[in-house]
Amino acid sequence: SPSCADDKKRRVCYYYDPGIAHIKFSDDHVMVPARVAMAHSLVGVYGMLGDMRRLCTRPATEAEIRRFHSPEYVDLLRDLTPESYANDAALRQKAEDHHGIGGEDDCPAFDRLWKYCRGYAGGSLAAARALVDGASDIAINWSGGMHHASACKATGFCYVNDIVLAINELLGAFSRVIYVDIDAHHGDGVQDAFLDSNRVMTLSFHRYGKITPHKNFFPGSGAVNEIGAGAGEHYSVNVPLDAGVRDDVYHTLFKPIVGKAMEVFQPEAIVLQCGADSLSGDRLGGMELSVRGHAECVGFLRGFNLPLLLVGGGGGYTINHVASAWCYETAVA
Ligand code: TV7
Ligand code: CA
Ligand code: ZN
């Protein structure tokens, strides 16, 4: 059995929508949603599907997405297709100038964008509900975890922030939720959404600083002095790292910092964003974690025996590594 799981079993539920295999941002885009299908086949090959409850759910509704995202932005996401983007100049201008879509092409207007967003957001909401119901101890949605999206803007490959939607669902039943983000990029969208809240503590570990004399590693936020605001002061925690950080250094930080946060904040539920671009060999991340070191974060949080939501998400641009990591982490759960 995987190295970082204790031998007491947890009830795990798992969300997977086969539709994800057909989603393409663009021909040469680094974000490849099909990696979730690869992770899923591995999970099946290793015989884990029989050990988990499969979450069969519906896509998130427009109303559910409107609970966080702004009216104009949701209208746009719903109406945007490659055709409307190409043919409707006013719509295209609105998308590019106000909502981060099109233009420089981190976030293109691709085919079935709205269906894709409703799908992964529906998965994270169903996963949160399974924890609220008490039906499961751990709920997994490897297609979720889109931590950059803001209320009115797509950024960094993220259009709908399923994590914010899921945390809000958890807050209906739990007094305090801790969010931990091990993607190589700063979890800015989630931090900003709960910046002034003392019911959500956000922690992000990420690469930070210059990558060329004129360019910061994306998104450029997540310095140690970002600590939250108002009632949420000291409820945002940032751990900026240099490129090349390995398992040993990562865990001399991760375990004491997350352990202390758990001790002082006393959360009732945990959300872990397992972005796999912090793995060694990733096309974008520049960090050096092993699959085992990455999965140790999952094992560490699992050890607190609180309702645990695992989202993948997010990063992971060397797709065979991503599939290995999320398969292994399913085993840890
Ligand atoms: C969670 N880095 C998301 C991380 C988002 C990172 C960026 C790319 C990139 C985009 C591509 C592409 C790429 C090789 C890498 C300033 C820019 C530079 C767009 C070409 N190849 C997560 C976002 C980051 C798109 N963006 O946390 C299509 O790299 O640095 C930037 C911004 C302007 C836009 N250009 C890149 O892991 C999901 N983008 C190839 C094709
Ligand atoms: Ca992070
Ligand atoms: Zn990332």
Side-chain angles (χ1 to χ4, degrees), residues 25-49:
F25 277 47
S26 63
D27 283 338
D28 65 340
H29 204 286
V30 287
M31 173 56 101
V32 179
R35 71 215 164 120
V36 178
M38 294 172 65
H40 178 72
S41 350
L42 277 183
V43 167
V45 165
Y46 278 88
M48 289 189 267
L49 290 174

Side-chain angles (χ1 to χ4, degrees), residues 233-257:
E233 202 173 46
H234 304 298
Y235 292 81
S236 298
V237 177
N238 284 290
V239 187
L241 302 165
D242 286 332
V245 169
R246 289 167 179 270
D247 293 350
D248 50 355
V249 171
Y250 198 88
H251 282 292
T252 59
L253 293 164
F254 188 85
K255 287 175 186 167
I257 293 170

Side-chain angles (χ1 to χ4, degrees), residues 274-294:
C274 302
D277 51 3
S278 43
L279 292 172
S280 180
D282 188 82
R283 261 177 92 183
L284 298 192
M287 295 173 69
E288 297 280 343
L289 296 190
S290 70
V291 167
R292 187 168 289 225
H294 196 269

Side-chain angles (χ1 to χ4, degrees), residues 210-216:
K210 294 261 173 277
I211 51 170
T212 70
H214 304 288
K215 213 175 153 211
N216 285 318

Side-chain angles (χ1 to χ4, degrees), residues 168-252:
N168 279 330
E169 192 77 22
L170 293 171
L171 288 174
F174 303 113
S175 330
R176 288 171 307 284
V177 176
I178 195 166
Y179 170 70
V180 182
D181 184 317
I182 62 171
D183 188 285
H185 297 92
H186 178 226
D188 55 353
V190 184
Q191 174 177 295
D192 294 350
F194 299 107
L195 200 70
D196 58 10
S197 171
N198 57 13
R199 292 183 63 200
V200 179
M201 180 176 276
T202 62
L203 282 83
S204 178
F205 295 76
H206 45 266
R207 184 171 163 196
Y208 179 84
K210 294 261 173 277
I211 51 170
T212 70
H214 304 288
K215 213 175 153 211
N216 285 318
F217 188 68
F218 186 87
S221 53
V224 268
N225 64 3
E226 291 175 27
I227 58 170
E233 202 173 46
H234 304 298
Y235 292 81
S236 298
V237 177
N238 284 290
V239 187
L241 302 165
D242 286 332
V245 169
R246 289 167 179 270
D247 293 350
D248 50 355
V249 171
Y250 198 88
H251 282 292
T252 59

Side-chain angles (χ1 to χ4, degrees), residues 69-93:
H69 291 284
S70 74
E72 320 78 68
Y73 181 51
V74 177
D75 290 349
L76 176 77
L77 277 177
R78 189 197 51 210
D79 298 341
L80 206 55
T81 62
E83 295 70 36
S84 66
Y85 180 78
N87 302 329
D88 183 338
L91 192 75
R92 180 167 65 246
Q93 186 165 2

